[in-house]
Amino acid sequence: MRVSLRKTSGMSFERISGDCLEIREGGGCLTFFGLPFLAAGIFLMLTGLGLVPLENAQSMNWWSRPLLMAMGLIFAAVGGSLVFARTRITLDAAKGTMTRRWWLLLPIKNEEFRLKSYRSVELGFSSGDSDSPDTYPLVLKGGDACPDFQLKNSTSYGESRQLAVHLAELLRVPLEEATSDHRTILKSEELQQSLTERLQKHKSGSEDATRPVHLLSRVEMVPGGVLIRIPREGFKWTLFLPIAISVGGLLYFGPGFLEFFDRTFTPVSVQIFFLGFAVILFGLIPFFGLISKILNAARGYTEIMATTQELRLTEQGAWKKSTATFPAGEIVDLDYSTASSRAENAMIFGNERIRRSQFGTQPPVPPRWLKALNRLNKSQGVIVKHREGLLTFGAGLPDEEIRYLQTTIKRALSGK
C-alpha cells in the first residue's frame, strides 16, 4: 500500500510500506525556479572564457573576464542546487533507523539516526512577518539526551498535521500539538479521533463555563447546541481620522498644484487628469472606506452555531455575508489565545532559552512595567483546528469572555 501526499513547494511524503516512510525535498517547482539561474551562470562562464563573442571585447579591462567567471560560478551553483539537489529522509520503524541522504545528480552524503532516541512528534508554529508566511515545523523530540530533529517546515497546517499523524502512528509515539497557546498531547489511539470523539470518550467537555458579568457576545442555548453572536466593535469617531487627513492634504496641496499648472501652461486635459486622479485617490477611496467601516460597525457580526454534528461560522460584513460549515468529525481541537496566555507562553519560552544557555540557570523576574504593558495586548480569540486548516474568531474580546466561549463551544460539540 502506497499513500502519497504532495505539497506545492516540491516536498512529498510517501508511505512506502507499513513500517517505512519517506520525506522528499527538492525538485518540482524548485527545478523550474532554478533553471534561469543555471542558464545565466553558464552564459556568464562561457562569456568569461571568451567562447561567447562580445562587441566591446577589445575595450574590456583585464579583470572583466575573471569577474564574469566568478559571477557565472555563483549563478550556476545556485541554479544547479535548485535543479539537481534532492534530500531524502527515510524512517524505517522495523529497523529502528532514520536515514537522511543528499543528492546532487549522485549521492553525496548520508546520515543515520536511531529512532528509539525520539520520544514524540511535535507539530509547532513559527510566526511569519511581512516578508514570510506562518509555518508549521514538524519535529522529532529527543529530550535532553538527544537533540531535536526537524523533518519539514510547511506553510499548510492541514498538511503538516496529516503528516504528523502518519509519523506518530508509524513510530508509535505521542503527537504534541503545539500550534497555539495550549499544548495538546495525543496518544496513539487518539490520533485519528476528532475533538468530539475525544470529549465524549473522556468526558472532558463537562467542565463548568463561568459566565462573565459583562458579556459582549450573545449566547443562546438552542436544541442540540449553542448559538453565539459576536458583534463588531462599535462606532468610534476615530473612523473619520483617515479621511480627514486625506481631504486635508488635498485641500492644502491642491491650490499649489493649480498654481503650478497655470504657471507652466499645462494643457487643460492634463490638469483634469491629474486633479481627477487626486480626487479619486485622496477623496473617493477614503470616503468609501469610511462608509464600509461605518456599515461594518453598525450591521457586522460573527455568528457561531455549534452542535454535535457541525460547527457553522457566519461572517456578516459591511456589504456581504459568508458562511463556512465544518463537520464535527473534521474538528481536531479547539483552543483559545488571550493576552494573558500569550504573555505566559512568551515567559515560558524565554525561561527555557535561559535554562538551555550557558549564561544562567535562574529565570529573571519580569519587571512591573512589562506586566503593565501586557494590558495593552489584545486577545486573538478562539482557535478552531480542523483537518484542512485553522480559523479564529472573537479577536479583541476580553480574556474571560474568550475562555467562556471556548468552553461553551466544547460542551456543545461534546453533547453535554
Side-chain angles (χ1 to χ4, degrees):
M1 175 181 178
R2 286 173 82 90
V3 180
S4 180
L5 303 170
R6 301 185 181 275
K7 60 176 289 188
T8 57
S9 62
M11 179 182 288
S12 65
F13 176 90
E14 191 171 15
R15 187 74 172 263
I16 298 176
S17 65
D19 295 323
C20 190
L21 296 171
E22 186 177 66
I23 296 176
R24 301 177 179 180
E25 185 177 5
C29 295
L30 293 177
T31 300
F32 295 100
F33 182 75
L35 283 175
F37 290 91
L38 181 60
I42 295 175
F43 177 79
L44 290 175
M45 286 192 295
L46 294 178
T47 303
L49 293 173
L51 300 179
V52 177
L54 298 175
E55 295 182 357
N56 60 341
Q58 300 299 327
S59 61
M60 292 176 61
N61 295 320
W62 63 268
W63 45 263
S64 299
R65 292 188 182 277
L67 180 61
L68 290 175
M69 284 287 296
M71 294 176 59
L73 286 173
I74 295 174
F75 274 84
V78 173
S81 62
L82 293 174
V83 174
F84 301 111
R86 302 288 188 272
T87 303
R88 300 288 185 269
I89 300 177
T90 304
L91 299 97
D92 194 328
K95 297 181 180 179
T97 60
M98 176 176 62
T99 306
R100 179 166 57 181
R101 300 182 178 89
W102 287 271
W103 272 268
L104 192 61
L105 292 180
L106 296 174
I108 58 175
K109 185 180 179 181
N110 288 356
E111 286 183 348
E112 187 169 291
F113 307 87
R114 301 299 300 178
L115 288 176
K116 67 178 182 180
S117 303
Y118 301 102
R119 56 179 176 81
S120 65
V121 177
E122 181 187 77
L123 178 59
F125 172 75
S126 178
S127 178
D129 51 29
S130 58
D131 298 323
S132 59
D134 296 339
T135 56
Y136 302 91
L138 186 60
V139 179
L140 291 180
K141 304 291 290 186
D144 297 331
C146 178
D148 298 342
F149 187 93
Q150 180 169 309
L151 292 170
K152 63 167 292 186
N153 197 16
S154 173
T155 58
S156 170
Y157 168 81
E159 181 187 44
S160 296
R161 190 185 187 282
Q162 188 176 7
L163 301 186
V165 169
H166 276 275
L167 286 169
E169 288 179 337
L170 175 74
L171 303 180
R172 298 177 178 86
V173 295
L175 170 60
E176 299 184 21
E177 168 73 69
T179 55
S180 54
D181 290 0
H182 305 89
R183 183 181 297 264
T184 302
I185 300 178
L186 299 179
K187 300 178 182 179
S188 300
E189 63 273 13
E190 299 175 326
L191 294 174
Q192 295 293 345
Q193 294 178 352
S194 65
L195 175 63
T196 300
E197 293 171 336
R198 299 201 307 272
L199 292 175
Q200 293 175 346
K201 180 179 179 181
H202 299 290
K203 299 182 180 180
S204 59
S206 59
E207 61 268 17
D208 292 333
T210 304
R211 185 185 182 95
V213 177
H214 302 288
L215 192 64
L216 301 178
S217 306
R218 190 182 73 187
V219 180
E220 179 183 356
M221 298 301 170
V222 297
V226 63
L227 179 64
I228 301 172
R229 174 170 289 199
I230 304 173
R232 290 286 193 271
E233 191 174 4
F235 175 81
K236 293 182 179 180
W237 290 106
T238 53
L239 297 177
F240 288 96
L241 186 59
I243 190 172
I245 295 176
S246 298
V247 174
L250 183 64
L251 295 177
Y252 181 81
F253 293 104
F257 277 102
L258 291 176
E259 183 181 352
F260 171 78
F261 289 150
D262 292 336
R263 190 171 61 251
T264 56
F265 303 101
T266 304
V268 177
S269 59
V270 177
Q271 295 186 35
I272 295 175
F273 172 79
F274 278 100
L275 290 177
F277 179 78
V279 169
I280 293 174
L281 182 63
F282 297 101
L284 294 180
I285 293 179
F287 175 75
F288 282 111
L290 173 64
I291 297 299
S292 297
K293 291 179 180 179
I294 294 176
L295 291 177
N296 188 52
R299 62 194 297 258
Y301 62 84
T302 300
E303 187 175 83
I304 304 98
M305 178 66 179
T307 66
T308 56
Q309 302 299 320
E310 65 181 18
L311 186 144
R312 186 172 69 249
L313 180 68
T314 302
E315 291 279 355
Q316 173 65 63
W319 308 103
K320 63 179 181 179
K321 182 178 181 180
S322 60
T323 301
T325 302
F326 305 94
E330 297 295 316
I331 299 175
V332 296
D333 202 2
L334 190 71
D335 199 6
Y336 63 88
S337 177
T338 61
S340 58
S341 64
R342 293 170 64 187
E344 291 173 1
N345 279 343
M347 185 59 64
I348 292 173
F349 177 76
N351 293 342
E352 183 68 17
R353 292 284 298 272
I354 294 175
R355 187 183 67 83
R356 293 187 178 184
S357 68
Q358 57 180 343
F359 300 106
T361 57
Q362 295 296 327
V365 178
R368 294 182 178 180
W369 63 264
L370 184 60
K371 295 181 179 179
L373 187 63
N374 181 55
R375 297 176 182 176
L376 302 177
N377 193 15
K378 292 185 177 181
S379 64
Q380 293 184 342
V382 180
I383 305 172
V384 180
K385 305 178 184 180
H386 56 95
R387 301 190 191 276
E388 298 298 325
L390 302 175
L391 65 93
T392 61
F393 58 85
L397 292 176
D399 288 4
E400 60 274 10
E401 183 167 345
I402 290 294
R403 291 191 290 268
Y404 169 72
L405 296 181
Q406 186 258 1
T407 305
T408 302
I409 295 174
K410 285 184 68 174
R411 289 172 58 87
L413 290 174
S414 66
K416 299 180 176 63

